[in-house]
Amino acid sequence: MIKFLRTNKIAMWILTVLRVYLGIQWTLDGWAKLTMQGGFRADSVLQMAISKPVTDPHGALAFPWYDAFLKTVTSDGKSAAAFHAFSFAVSWGELLVGLGLVFGTLTLGAAFFGLVMNFSYLGSGIVSVNPTYIFIEALILIGGYNSAKIGLDYWVTPKLRAWLPFLQNDIELK
């Protein structure tokens, strides 16, 4: 399966369709947050995640490390600066991940950071479309360079690999 996703031309087209679809979704979500009346505020979501963390069926914290992270970064939900930073990061993060996926630029980075956001949303108790996005992002990451051949990475990746030798690997760019 991995070899198919990384080398097959049919997989390249399937991954491109999935990448563009997901990119459009991320772009629309990010744009909506950036242009909404009054601006997007993550305060209520963060307050809910802090006051009522996700638990397992036995009542134990499902993500104790994530709950500790949120409490520490937001000073137990009292830091307006942290809420502002999260609001900014979510809005712009969604838009930039979306544009990266739509145009196929820095595709694997965009898919990775989309994955980080999706798992963060799940850790906060928001299920929504996150499992679907995680599945698609995982396929894109497994597909590697084949996920981005039809996109700007066709030109960007060889340039980056020439400038940054540690990016050289065994995947052919043909």
Side-chain angles (χ1 to χ4, degrees):
M1 176 71 162
I2 293 174
K3 185 176 181 185
F4 171 77
L5 288 174
R6 288 182 164 250
T7 61
N8 189 283
K9 286 189 181 210
I10 294 171
M12 176 184 66
W13 285 100
I14 293 169
L15 289 168
T16 299
V17 169
L18 289 173
R19 187 195 82 219
V20 170
Y21 163 77
L22 188 61
I24 290 169
Q25 300 309 309
W26 276 116
T27 302
L28 292 174
D29 289 344
W31 183 252
K33 285 177 177 68
L34 285 170
T35 60
M36 73 181 355
Q37 187 71 26
F40 171 72
R41 295 178 54 101
D43 304 26
S44 60
V45 172
L46 290 170
Q47 289 287 8
M48 180 64 76
I50 292 167
S51 65
K52 295 181 182 176
V54 179
T55 58
D56 68 15
H58 304 291
L61 291 177
F63 311 108
W65 62 270
Y66 189 70
D67 299 327
F69 165 75
L70 285 180
K71 286 180 181 180
T72 301
V73 170
T74 64
S75 300
D76 284 326
K78 297 177 184 113
S79 173
F83 290 141
H84 180 70
F86 273 103
S87 300
F88 179 85
V90 167
S91 302
W92 282 99
E94 288 183 1
L95 181 68
L96 294 173
V97 163
L99 291 174
L101 291 172
V102 166
F103 292 109
T105 308
L106 304 175
T107 302
L108 300 181
F112 171 77
F113 285 109
L115 201 62
V116 168
M117 283 193 291
N118 288 128
F119 278 117
S120 295
Y121 299 157
L122 285 175
S124 297
I126 302 168
V127 176
S128 184
V129 297
N130 294 306
T132 303
Y133 285 13
I134 288 169
F135 178 73
I136 296 171
E137 288 155 352
L139 289 174
I140 291 169
L141 287 171
I142 292 168
Y145 180 69
N146 208 28
S147 302
K149 278 185 181 173
I150 303 173
L152 295 178
D153 273 343
Y154 181 81
W155 295 280
V156 171
T157 299
K159 296 285 185 199
L160 283 176
R161 288 182 178 174
W163 292 334
L164 304 169
F166 67 89
L167 292 177
Q168 300 288 336
N169 60 27
D170 62 338
I171 299 172
E172 293 210 16
L173 300 177
K174 294 179 185 178

